[in-house]
Amino acid sequence: MSASRAPGLTASVPYQPVASSAEIEGRAPATRPSRVPTAGARNAAGDAAPSMDVVPSVEVVPSVEVVPSVEVVAPVESVDWFVAGENGSVGPPMARPRAAAGALFFDEEGRVLLVEPSYKPGWDIPGGFIEPGESPYAACVREVEEEIGIVPPIGSLLVVDWASDEHTGDMLLFVFDGGLLPSDWRERIRLDMNEIINCAFTPLSDVGEKLPVLHARRVRAAAGLRAGHGGAGYLEHGYLTPAAPAVSSAPAGAAQRTESTE
């Protein structure tokens, strides 16, 4: 069957042939609407005859249930507050310090274990930087194993030290209590020569000769809290904060006058 196009339309419609008058007359008559007699009507002879009124057809329309419209609410997008703070678009700027964790191990003479890294000058305690998603304690255990090859029991937190400068930025340093490292554990030490080239137990009085000034203050403060059973301490640049007040037998007023004259 061929198709024709109506003007102004782009869709194709089937071609409809036009029927002749003879074909129309030969077709069966269309179904007419039914009629019912009505009282009082008469026929052509004058006799009473029922009239045929057309009863209109009734179209049955199925009922349609109206469904109330539902408002779709889009989920609220999560905000990365760190990125937003850095871009200055949402919220105040927030600090993002680097973090590291290490442990203090002692021998029977009270000396502390120090290691000599291959990648930087000077010495340090066993430990290293905390990886994303890692806790400070887990980082301490991992770094100890990586650097000296053992996984001894590691105790509670001794100090957390906050430090900042223009070169390294903000840093948080966690120091845990490795406790007394017995001889059988010391014999198992195996250095990772790619990172650590030497290790030694050093008297606390000599740590200033091997460690940078800030590191030495931190180690001495941690060892002092451990010896005094003072629990964990908070440091800033290696200094206990707030500083413990000095004990004086002088009256408070006298102490204030003395401080004002210095």
Side-chain angles (χ1 to χ4, degrees):
M1 178 181 294
S2 62
S4 62
R5 293 183 181 275
L9 299 177
T10 59
S12 298
V13 296
Y15 172 73
Q16 301 292 335
V18 180
S20 63
S21 58
E23 291 175 339
I24 295 175
E25 292 178 357
R27 292 176 180 174
T31 304
R32 298 180 180 277
S34 61
R35 297 176 180 271
V36 296
T38 304
R42 294 179 179 274
N43 57 17
D47 299 330
S51 63
M52 308 300 287
D53 290 339
V54 177
V55 178
S57 60
V58 179
E59 181 180 2
V60 179
V61 179
S63 61
V64 179
E65 182 181 359
V66 179
V67 179
S69 60
V70 179
E71 182 180 0
V72 179
V73 179
V76 179
E77 295 184 0
S78 61
V79 178
D80 188 338
W81 293 103
F82 285 122
V83 175
E86 290 178 350
N87 296 336
S89 57
V90 179
M94 290 177 281
R96 303 185 68 177
R98 293 188 296 168
L104 291 186
F105 295 103
F106 298 86
D107 64 4
E108 291 82 359
E109 299 178 20
R111 299 177 300 179
V112 63
L113 178 64
L114 301 182
V115 294
E116 184 179 8
S118 61
Y119 51 85
K120 65 178 181 180
W123 292 60
D124 207 339
I125 63 174
F129 283 106
I130 302 171
E131 297 180 352
E134 186 178 39
S135 74
Y137 186 85
C140 178
V141 173
R142 175 183 55 78
E143 286 288 343
V144 167
E145 181 181 13
E146 290 178 359
E147 292 187 349
I148 61 177
I150 58 175
V151 189
I154 295 178
S156 59
L157 181 70
L158 291 175
V159 297
V160 56
D161 189 10
W162 178 88
S164 179
D165 59 45
E166 58 183 5
H167 301 293
T168 59
D170 297 342
M171 289 196 66
L172 287 173
L173 298 312
F174 298 83
V175 180
F176 293 90
D177 186 7
L180 174 64
L181 195 64
S183 59
D184 57 341
W185 278 106
R186 297 198 297 266
E187 293 172 358
R188 302 183 210 174
I189 291 177
R190 298 293 182 271
L191 302 181
D192 177 9
M193 300 304 293
N194 293 323
E195 292 189 19
I196 306 299
I197 58 177
N198 197 4
C199 70
F201 282 90
T202 305
L204 284 171
S205 58
D206 296 340
V207 295
E209 301 176 4
K210 291 190 174 183
L211 299 178
V213 175
L214 176 60
H215 290 38
R217 283 203 301 263
R218 184 184 310 126
V219 168
R220 284 194 292 262
L225 287 171
R226 178 179 181 271
H229 305 285
Y234 170 69
L235 311 178
E236 290 185 358
H237 295 282
Y239 293 109
L240 191 64
T241 304
V247 179
S248 175
S249 58
Q256 293 175 358
R257 287 194 298 273
T258 302
E259 291 173 358
S260 64
T261 58
E262 292 181 354

